[in-house]
Structures are given as C-alpha cells and as structure tokens.
Amino acid sequence: MGSVAVFAPSPLLTVTVEEAPTGPDLHVHAGGQGVWQARMLQSLGASVTLCSVLLGEVGDVVRHLVEREGIHLRAVERDGRGAAYVHDRRGGEREPVIETPGDVLTRHDLDELYNLAFHSGLEADLTVLSGPAGDVVLPADTYRRLAADLRSAGRPVVADLAGERLDAVVAGGLAVLKVSDEELVDDGRASGTDVRSVVEAMRRLREEGAACVIVTRSAESTLVLDGGRMLEVRVPALEVVDTKGAGDSLTAGVAAALADRASIEDAVRLGAAAGALNVTRHGLGSARPDAVKAMTKQVEIRPFDGEDADQ
C-alpha cells in the first residue's frame, strides 16, 4: 500500500461504557473521523500520517493512544480544552453523557496545522481531509485552500465532508468526494433521497470540482460518479453491531487503494468491503485486513443508468 496523510484537526478522546458480566466496563480510545480513517488505513497496510491539533490533558491522552496504535502523528500542541465524548452503551444503543467539541483553533494553531498538513500531503501519495469535532472549530475555507494547494502541487485529495466544508473543498477541487444521501438533503443539494435527486446532486458536484463522487445511501446501494460513468455498488447485508464509523471506513478503503494506484472500481470495492465489515464490530474504524480482502469478493459493482438503482 502507499502513503496517506490524514487531516484531522480535532481528534476526540472517546470513553464508552459497556455492560460486562462483572459490571460496567470502560473503553478509552482516540477517535473522531480522521482517527477512525487513519486506523482503518493502517489496518489495510497503508503508511499513515495524522495531522492534528492536541489541546490540554485530553490532547496528551490522545497522543499516547494514537502513537500506541503505531500511527505517525504530527501535531500542534498547547493548553486548552480538547474534544471528547462519554457514551453509555450498556442498553445496546449509544447514549451521550458528555460531548464537547473542544476549543476553537486560534490563528496560530491554524497556521501551524496548515503547514503540517501541506508538508505531509506533499510527502504522501494521497491526502484525506476529515472534519473537526464541532462546526466552529476552524473556518470551512481551510478545506478549500488545502485542497487547492495540494491539487496545484499535483497531490490527490479525498474528502469525506458535509455542509460548508463540503462546499469549500469542492471549490478547491479534489479527486474523490464521499458524502451520504442524507447529508446532501440536509445541505440543500438534493430535494430528497430518491435516486433521481441524488444523481442530479452528484452531477452538480462533479461540475463544481469533484472528479469522482461517492454517495452512500444507508441500506441501499452506494452510487459512484467517476467522470461520465455512473456505477452502483452493492454488498451483502450483515448483522449490525454499530453503524458509527462505517462511512469513514469506506473512505479509508478507497483512499488506501488509490494511494496504491488502484482503479476507482477496485478502490470502491475495497472501501465497500471495509465499511460493511466495520458495522459488525464494536471498535470504530477497525477490521481484520484478511476479512476485508475476502469481503471484496462479495462486492458487486455494475454500470448504472440513473434509473434502476433500487429495482
């Protein structure tokens, strides 16, 4: 596999309470979109560099946890309040106890983080841009600038974003954009989750600057618009343990394959397999690489004419 830089501006400290035979059991991990992507990327054999801002005591713990997993970390560090959550899953569903996005990044934080991310992107085969823990942690325009600068330097960018950050990164131009149909509706880019509305939104995103658009649709097939080709991706329905992190695992699988110079079909196949297996596990952004490889044989990719995806 190739090398991937992951832009993760505000990684989370995650604490999850599980039920165990002897009583409540605490699970403490580094998390957040970029960390879950980096974890899956590393599981699939990619060389990963995570670029983040680490704040205060939470940041100290996140650094320890990330580095213990063997992920290379480049970070801006200072005092402050880091992003974190505590979830209670003893009843089977995630019940938030505490959720905090952490402090807004200062101008100095942003300058230093931008330099770290751009440097790492120049050295890597591909860069993944992931979102922060909260909407106001950093300006959305940071994503436009970073995508545009890396594109100017000839480095491909993959993004898994929504809202203003999606608008910004598309304006900067990128190789692959992953988004869900519900996010397209929430952003006002699609009038509904029906196939026609989603396909029209995908075509507009391509015109605006995304060379390839991947749209996940919950239990329905995933749609891929690559240049002028529309593809439909189906995977077997598996028993769900936790859906959180499945989309990030899909993005990581796509990025890992593209960094290794695979075709978009093979990249989507690997991503779909990684995302499908992630829902069968309690650990977010995790799967055994041999299981993912076996699962790729169960992924069906076929041409799609824009009318028959759900028939």
Side-chain angles (χ1 to χ4, degrees), residues 6-295:
V6 179
F7 178 72
S10 55
L12 289 163
L13 176 62
T14 73
V15 180
T16 305
V17 186
E18 301 274 5
E19 191 60 65
T22 56
D25 189 16
L26 293 180
H27 296 266
V28 181
H29 298 284
Q33 186 183 41
V35 173
W36 295 325
Q37 291 166 345
R39 183 176 295 133
M40 180 59 76
L41 279 160
Q42 186 182 55
S43 295
L44 296 174
S47 174
V48 186
T49 298
L50 189 70
C51 302
S52 305
V53 176
L54 303 179
L55 302 178
E57 295 177 353
V58 165
D60 292 340
V61 177
V62 168
R63 171 178 281 283
H64 170 74
L65 294 171
V66 167
E67 291 180 340
R68 191 176 67 176
E69 293 188 48
I71 296 172
H72 180 219
L73 178 64
R74 285 177 171 166
V76 179
E77 298 180 80
R78 68 166 173 84
D79 292 337
R81 184 184 59 169
Y85 72 60
V86 178
H87 286 176
D88 188 338
R89 198 163 55 181
R90 285 175 292 179
E93 301 292 332
R94 287 182 176 272
E95 297 292 339
V97 178
I98 298 171
E99 293 183 339
T100 174
D103 291 342
V104 174
L105 302 186
T106 67
R107 186 180 66 178
H108 176 72
D109 296 334
L110 286 171
D111 286 346
E112 291 301 310
L113 176 62
Y114 196 92
N115 285 345
L116 287 179
F118 186 62
H119 174 199
S120 299
L122 292 177
E123 293 181 333
D125 294 310
L126 180 145
T127 296
V128 174
L129 302 184
S130 67
D135 290 338
V136 298
V137 170
L138 77 166
D141 193 60
T142 306
Y143 291 90
R144 181 197 60 79
R145 293 195 298 120
L146 193 51
D149 286 347
L150 288 169
R151 179 169 54 85
S152 294
R155 315 312 292 173
V157 171
V158 172
D160 184 351
L161 299 166
E164 292 182 356
R165 292 184 288 275
L166 181 151
D167 296 339
V169 78
V170 171
L174 72 164
V176 178
L177 173 70
K178 180 265 174 186
V179 64
S180 74
D181 58 349
E182 292 180 350
E183 288 169 333
L184 291 176
V185 173
D186 290 343
D187 293 347
R189 285 184 167 273
S191 58
T193 58
D194 59 284
V195 171
R196 186 180 297 278
S197 298
V198 170
V199 168
E200 289 175 354
M202 294 172 73
R203 288 173 175 156
R204 286 192 294 270
L205 285 167
R206 183 189 62 186
E207 293 170 358
E208 292 176 27
C212 176
V213 181
I214 300 172
V215 177
T216 56
R217 301 187 301 143
S218 187
E220 303 295 340
S221 60
T222 293
L223 300 181
V224 180
L225 179 60
D226 178 38
R229 298 182 307 156
M230 184 71 76
L231 303 172
E232 180 187 10
V233 184
R234 291 185 178 274
V235 297
L238 305 179
E239 290 290 325
V240 175
V241 171
D242 194 338
T243 60
K244 198 173 182 66
D248 299 321
S249 293
L250 185 152
T251 300
V254 170
L258 292 179
D260 206 33
R261 295 175 173 78
S263 67
I264 191 65
E265 289 93 339
D266 287 343
V268 170
R269 192 181 305 278
L270 183 65
L277 283 176
N278 184 84
V279 305
T280 68
R281 300 170 62 94
H282 289 92
L284 304 182
S286 64
R288 291 181 57 87
D290 52 350
V292 174
K293 182 178 180 180
M295 188 65 185

